[in-house]
Amino acid sequence: MGGWLHGWRLAGDARRIARHGGLRPFETHPDVPAPARLLARLLRLGTGAPETPDHAAGLRACGPAAIKLGQVLATRPDLVGPEVAEGLRRLQDNLPPAPWARIEAELDRALPGGWRAHFSSIAETPVGAASIAQVHRATTHDGRVVALKVLRPGVEEAFAGALASYGWAAARLERLGGDFARLKPRLVIETFRQWTLAELDLRREAGNASELAEAVRGEPKVAVPRVHWDLTTRRTLALEWIDGARLTDPAALAASGADRPALAAALVRAFLAQAIGQGFFHADLHQGNIIVTADGRLTLIDFGIMGRLDRRARVYLAEILHGLIVGNYRRVADIHFEAGYVPPHHDPAAFASALRAVGEPIRGRSTRDISVANLLDGLFAITRSFDMPVQPHLLLLQKTMVMVEGVALSLDPDVNMWDVASPYVRDWIRDELGPEAWLADGIVANARMLRGLPALARRFVRQIPPESAAPPLPPLPAAEPVPAWIPARIPARWPAALWGAAAGAAIAIIAMLLAG
């Protein structure tokens, strides 16, 4: 697709966003180049845009890909600003469902032998419809009731075109340098692309659900539906049907009689068990993706967007959280420098002081008076001051922490997330970084090294040439010493020079003979 086509598509989207006032913040923002500020004003003319921007509505008007992109941008208040990010955090991709006739055709194409070979019935009206897929209640021939998720018709083509245009725009923004280069818009789009690829293959979502079930196994009040693998394909996902009250339905939640404070604490512990304990966490934990069942458990659904942290990142995360909880800001600063998050030319003491300005206001206060979103915004301001590059593996984590805070407060306004988190983080650090863990890690590392020694020895032996089977050579008298006027080593260019001299002499002799 040519650049002008990308520009045309993006201009149309910008006009739709402007119609909802979404470009107003960019008209006066000092960091936005003057030509871009002028363009934002021109795109708004004649739209009747409201004074208060509705960024979520603007992106919904642009279609499914823009909705998903908005969810990515909600993790980046440093890129779009805290007010825009706050508006985008409320963005959920609830859309009108696709007609049953088209969904039925998709099911027949996705399932071998057509859907009637596997199901006795499928409800034509979906229980939920999003930008990428929609979910129908279905019953198999052997009586299993499942939540059947199917991709919307034409969704792959729509996202492919949008991804190409977004990548084209991000590359041009990054070339402007300055903050645009530091904030890595191409990386944002690449993160978006990875999310999309994962969600467009429902087999990967099934794998996510199975792995997440293992991650939360130790939290009895949190569950994950079972995957029906025999009914799962690239375009369909079959999960155990869950009856219960959605957190988006306050009346149903109240009627369930659930122990809301206990559920709020369980949600926080389950998130920590995922992110810190296993390094694999549900990254879309809004109220619509959590069901309270009759037995008083939180059941998580929709596993398209997941996050991963390697062990080193999990250790740093646990130590950072513990440092903020107990007020050890110098240790938190040292962790940032050890992890390479802060360039080494900065002063750790100055960084610790900046962290103190963010952390001290939250200590000793209840969660209703503490906003994780505001805390993260303060940390983002520090990243700018200390030239910290964006850490891709932390983007989803930051977004999810804000979501978990919102859900926990909706369940129990008095929950103190820091009090709930502190015992878990403290115990995890003790188990993973204590002397026993240090000794165990050393034993494992040494055992792995010893196990690899035979293979290493074999590779070493293969590099040694075998002994020759030829008989030893007879002794020779010592060579005469080389005269001093003969160079010890004839340069590689000498043979060519000698041949050139001989050829020149031959030509001279022939010329003399012809002259005589």
Side-chain angles (χ1 to χ4, degrees), residues 446-473:
N446 291 332
R448 287 175 178 170
M449 182 186 68
L450 291 174
R451 194 164 57 242
L453 283 179
L456 180 63
R458 287 192 295 270
R459 288 198 300 271
F460 176 74
V461 169
R462 282 198 295 268
Q463 302 302 318
I464 302 175
E467 295 184 4
S468 175
L473 297 176

Side-chain angles (χ1 to χ4, degrees), residues 164-240:
S165 294
Y166 298 158
W168 177 86
R172 275 141 190 84
L173 281 176
E174 199 155 310
R175 288 177 192 169
L176 296 176
D179 268 353
F180 287 109
R182 186 184 72 84
L183 296 173
K184 302 180 182 178
R186 288 194 303 156
L187 180 60
V188 175
I189 299 304
E190 177 59 22
T191 302
F192 173 52
R193 190 181 74 85
Q194 292 296 333
W195 285 15
T196 302
L197 291 178
E199 289 198 82
L200 288 175
D201 187 345
L202 296 182
R203 294 170 300 190
R204 294 180 62 178
E205 184 172 344
N208 291 341
S210 177
E211 186 173 355
L212 189 68
E214 297 179 3
V216 300
R217 187 173 295 166
E219 180 52 61
K221 285 190 171 295
V222 177
V224 174
R226 185 176 70 256
V227 178
H228 294 279
W229 289 101
D230 57 321
L231 301 171
T232 296
T233 68
R234 186 178 68 84
R235 299 184 63 82
T236 62
L237 167 64
L239 293 173
E240 171 190 7

Side-chain angles (χ1 to χ4, degrees), residues 29-55:
H29 199 289
D31 292 336
V32 176
R37 292 200 298 266
L38 176 60
L39 179 60
R41 291 191 185 96
L42 293 175
L43 288 168
R44 180 174 54 82
L45 291 178
T47 62
E51 289 294 329
T52 302
D54 189 344
H55 303 286

Side-chain angles (χ1 to χ4, degrees), residues 32-393:
V32 176
R37 292 200 298 266
L38 176 60
L39 179 60
R41 291 191 185 96
L42 293 175
L43 288 168
R44 180 174 54 82
L45 291 178
T47 62
E51 289 294 329
T52 302
D54 189 344
H55 303 286
L59 289 175
R60 287 193 196 97
C62 295
I67 292 172
K68 286 295 179 185
L69 179 61
Q71 293 174 343
V72 176
L73 294 176
T75 69
R76 297 297 306 275
D78 58 330
L79 186 64
V80 299
E83 292 182 2
V84 176
E86 180 62 29
L88 293 179
R89 288 184 188 117
R90 296 189 294 269
L91 183 64
Q92 297 182 17
D93 51 356
N94 295 324
L95 294 177
W100 167 247
R102 297 184 65 194
I103 291 297
E104 186 176 25
E106 288 293 315
L107 289 171
D108 284 335
R109 196 159 46 242
L111 295 168
W115 72 264
R116 288 180 176 81
H118 306 272
F119 297 97
S120 60
S121 65
I122 298 178
E124 296 186 7
T125 302
V127 294
S131 56
I132 286 181
Q134 58 191 58
V135 180
H136 295 253
R137 180 184 175 115
T139 305
T140 64
H141 290 299
D142 56 5
R144 290 175 291 168
V145 180
V146 303
L148 183 63
K149 189 172 187 177
V150 57
L151 293 183
R152 296 175 74 104
V155 67
E156 294 100 333
E157 296 79 4
F159 272 82
L163 283 169
S165 294
Y166 298 158
W168 177 86
R172 275 141 190 84
L173 281 176
E174 199 155 310
R175 288 177 192 169
L176 296 176
D179 268 353
F180 287 109
R182 186 184 72 84
L183 296 173
K184 302 180 182 178
R186 288 194 303 156
L187 180 60
V188 175
I189 299 304
E190 177 59 22
T191 302
F192 173 52
R193 190 181 74 85
Q194 292 296 333
W195 285 15
T196 302
L197 291 178
E199 289 198 82
L200 288 175
D201 187 345
L202 296 182
R203 294 170 300 190
R204 294 180 62 178
E205 184 172 344
N208 291 341
S210 177
E211 186 173 355
L212 189 68
E214 297 179 3
V216 300
R217 187 173 295 166
E219 180 52 61
K221 285 190 171 295
V222 177
V224 174
R226 185 176 70 256
V227 178
H228 294 279
W229 289 101
D230 57 321
L231 301 171
T232 296
T233 68
R234 186 178 68 84
R235 299 184 63 82
T236 62
L237 167 64
L239 293 173
E240 171 190 7
W241 180 265
I242 302 297
D243 285 311
R246 298 231 181 186
L247 296 190
T248 52
D249 187 349
L253 183 60
S256 69
D259 185 346
R260 296 166 70 111
L263 292 180
L267 178 67
V268 175
R269 287 194 303 268
F271 167 69
L272 294 171
Q274 296 169 49
I276 296 179
Q278 300 296 325
F280 181 73
F281 59 93
H282 194 305
D284 200 17
L285 277 175
H286 57 73
Q287 283 92 336
N289 285 339
I290 303 176
I291 298 174
V292 179
T293 56
D295 58 357
R297 292 195 301 169
L298 295 172
T299 299
L300 312 182
I301 60 174
D302 194 355
F303 312 99
I305 303 176
M306 310 297 290
R308 286 191 184 276
L309 299 172
D310 61 23
R311 189 176 187 278
R312 183 167 180 255
R314 287 153 51 203
V315 169
Y316 283 123
L317 171 63
E319 289 206 87
I320 288 170
L321 288 176
H322 189 256
L324 289 174
I325 289 170
V326 302
N328 189 352
Y329 303 109
R330 184 53 192 257
R331 177 55 187 155
V332 176
D334 290 342
I335 292 167
H336 277 76
F337 279 85
E338 292 169 10
Y341 293 163
V342 182
H345 64 269
H346 284 289
D347 181 7
F351 187 69
S353 180
L355 287 171
R356 180 180 295 274
V358 173
E360 278 300 302
I362 71 172
R363 298 189 63 214
R365 299 175 64 187
S366 65
T367 303
R368 70 168 65 193
D369 299 323
I370 301 171
S371 170
V372 172
N374 291 338
L375 173 64
L376 293 177
D377 289 342
L379 292 176
F380 275 126
I382 293 175
T383 67
R384 180 185 293 268
S385 301
F386 286 85
D387 305 316
M388 291 172 59
V390 172
Q391 302 299 325
H393 62 281

Side-chain angles (χ1 to χ4, degrees), residues 420-439:
V420 175
S422 182
Y424 182 92
V425 174
R426 184 182 60 245
D427 292 346
W428 191 88
I429 289 177
R430 176 68 178 81
D431 293 342
E432 295 294 324
L433 304 180
E436 299 91 344
W438 177 83
L439 180 61

